[in-house]
Amino acid sequence: MTEKTRVLYNADCPVCRFEIDHYAAYSAAKALPIGFDDLNSDALHEWGISADDATRRLHVLKDGALYSGIPAFIVLWQDMPRYRPLARLVSLPGVNWLAVQVYDRILAPLLYRWNLRRLKKGAETSTQM
């Protein structure tokens, strides 16, 4: 029996939350066996990774294996019928290489740094009040 796929994401990040909320609504509508864990909740300790590592990229747990980055997206998309063609496309060798490079070198670091700046700015604002 296949275990429920679990997704670990940063619900405090507006971009991350927007994307994952979309996947969560789709999976709920289709009654798919996918769970979504906010890394800012008690669920993080079950994952065995630090909050900082979890914030840096998407993580998916499926059948006891932990995936992160583009491989995590592929595993998630494979579990959602609407996104299976995207999973197949991004799994192709040349496309996969490019997707990994763009995600690992540009998108994930950009989102991570933006989130840190946003949190820092929020903390500075709250201390000034």
Side-chain angles (χ1 to χ4, degrees):
M1 178 181 213
T2 302
E3 291 181 31
K4 181 179 190 177
T5 299
R6 293 177 55 203
V7 178
L8 181 65
Y9 73 104
N10 184 3
D12 285 349
C13 169
V15 174
C16 305
R17 186 178 58 247
F18 178 80
E19 182 173 12
I20 298 302
D21 282 353
H22 169 75
Y23 295 147
Y26 175 77
S27 69
K30 299 289 184 183
L32 301 174
I34 303 172
F36 298 89
D37 296 333
D38 176 6
L39 69 86
N40 303 292
S41 71
D42 292 340
L44 178 63
H45 77 277
E46 298 173 22
W47 284 78
I49 57 178
S50 71
D52 188 61
D53 286 342
T55 303
R56 290 178 181 272
R57 55 196 307 131
L58 180 75
H59 290 80
V60 170
L61 185 62
K62 172 132 180 138
D63 297 331
L66 180 63
Y67 302 87
S68 69
I70 291 299
F73 279 102
I74 291 170
V75 168
L76 175 60
W77 294 335
Q78 287 171 338
D79 280 359
M80 298 187 302
R82 177 188 294 167
Y83 293 95
R84 284 185 190 137
L86 181 59
R88 283 192 292 276
L89 175 66
V90 176
S91 294
L92 295 172
V95 177
N96 184 269
W97 180 87
L98 182 61
V100 167
Q101 299 306 310
V102 170
Y103 183 83
D104 287 350
R105 297 175 187 258
I106 299 169
L107 296 177
L110 185 70
L111 276 173
Y112 177 74
R113 287 191 304 269
W114 173 75
N115 189 53
L116 290 179
R117 282 193 306 273
R118 188 182 60 76
L119 292 173
K120 183 179 177 185
K121 186 176 182 178
E124 290 171 354
T125 302
S126 65
T127 59
Q128 293 173 357
M129 294 181 161

